[in-house]
Amino acid sequence: ATVQEGYYYPWASQLAPGNGEDNYLDLVHQHLRPDLAVLDVACGHGEVALRIAPHCRSVLGYDRIATWIARAQQTAQQQGLTNTTFVCHNSARDANGGQARLPGAAATFDLLICRRGPFHWIDDARRVARPGATLLMLVPDARPIPPWNAWLPEALRMSAASDPHWARPSIEQRLASGGLTLHSWWSFEVPEFFATPAQLYDLLAWGWTADEVPSFAETQPVLERIFADYGGSHGMELRHIRHLWKAVVPG
């Protein structure tokens, strides 16, 4: 939030078809109806909420970053959307007296969606969901460590998740605490191609301020060596991993 105006990935890359990001958006659209009230958890600057607003009755998006919420509100106004509401809210336990708390009254929403957000919202989902409501979430996962990772300056090195199956047990446990069960689980792993060393640098440096990581100029020689030794006709390939899950509130 301190380095860019919205929540998005600033690097340019080519993502192979069949990836989790596209499948998440497709699944959300499959569940939309004109009479639905939707909650968009950790909505960032409102990209998904604004996209689906014309296809449902109402959308409430929330995020704890005030500048992103302000941008979402401004975009909704510019687009003439009257069925969207964006609020700045932190639903984490430590911000709500030790218990996760979603915005909204009991039995308010028909569809709850979350794209790359935290997990704590699941703890309070049953309260705000109507009977028969659907929960959908996209979970990013760490990329496999490439063989050239050790060549990078330490600040730019990629780190892997300690357990490749970390996400599902945590989500199932949180669902169970609210009397819910997992309906479906999908995993997607596809190649993502970076055409130039500069594009790869944008990925590696994302989330850091300029004084926390070496500059592109400083890193360029090693990145060019990596491309020369490991790149292909489409550039540098990294694996892109996403998990997608669905739960349904009993009717």
Side-chain angles (χ1 to χ4, degrees):
T2 61
V3 298
Q4 58 189 47
E5 294 183 358
Y7 185 82
Y8 57 88
Y9 295 150
W11 59 84
S13 65
Q14 182 179 354
L15 197 56
N19 61 80
E21 295 283 344
D22 290 344
N23 276 280
Y24 169 76
L25 294 174
D26 289 344
L27 189 62
V28 169
H29 278 276
Q30 290 173 25
H31 284 78
L32 295 178
R33 298 193 313 268
D35 61 335
L36 287 187
V38 181
L39 177 67
D40 188 359
V41 175
C43 68
H45 60 282
E47 179 184 356
V48 175
L50 295 166
R51 180 184 301 191
I52 67 175
H55 307 287
C56 55
R57 177 167 60 85
S58 65
V59 182
L60 171 61
Y62 82 91
D63 200 285
R64 67 186 183 93
I65 307 300
T67 54
W68 294 353
I69 290 299
R71 178 176 172 179
Q73 292 169 333
Q74 181 181 23
T75 305
Q77 185 177 14
Q78 292 171 345
Q79 295 181 1
L81 295 171
T82 59
N83 66 336
T84 58
T85 303
F86 293 99
V87 296
C88 186
H89 176 74
N90 186 347
S91 55
R93 291 183 178 186
D94 57 5
N96 295 277
Q99 184 174 357
R101 190 74 177 179
L102 294 173
T108 300
F109 301 105
D110 307 288
L111 178 63
L112 292 80
I113 63 174
C114 182
R115 184 184 188 185
R116 313 190 209 109
F119 292 175
H120 62 254
W121 68 275
I122 303 170
D123 301 345
D124 194 38
R126 182 71 181 269
R127 179 185 65 84
V128 300
R130 291 193 175 113
T134 299
L135 284 62
L136 301 174
M137 184 177 186
L138 179 71
V139 181
D141 208 343
R143 303 170 187 267
I145 298 299
W148 44 262
N149 192 56
W151 297 5
L152 296 169
E154 186 173 358
L156 292 176
R157 290 175 189 167
M158 302 169 61
S159 58
S162 57
D163 177 4
H165 306 291
W166 64 275
R168 182 165 179 166
S170 177
I171 289 167
E172 288 182 320
Q173 183 179 9
R174 288 178 180 274
L175 288 170
S177 68
L180 302 174
T181 57
L182 198 63
H183 175 280
S184 304
W185 180 276
W186 303 268
S187 294
F188 304 88
E189 180 177 344
V190 300
E192 182 176 8
F193 296 100
F194 298 81
T196 67
Q199 292 177 359
L200 180 58
Y201 175 83
D202 288 341
L203 164 72
L204 299 172
W206 182 65
W208 300 102
T209 59
D211 60 343
E212 291 176 320
V213 293
S215 68
F216 172 67
E218 294 173 298
T219 317
Q220 186 173 1
V222 68
L223 291 176
E224 290 178 346
R225 178 188 169 197
I226 289 171
F227 266 69
D229 288 4
Y230 291 95
S233 59
H234 296 287
M236 180 58 58
E237 176 185 335
L238 292 177
R239 306 305 293 178
H240 183 275
I241 303 174
R242 294 290 185 268
H243 307 292
L244 176 58
W245 62 266
K246 170 181 175 178
V248 179
V249 177

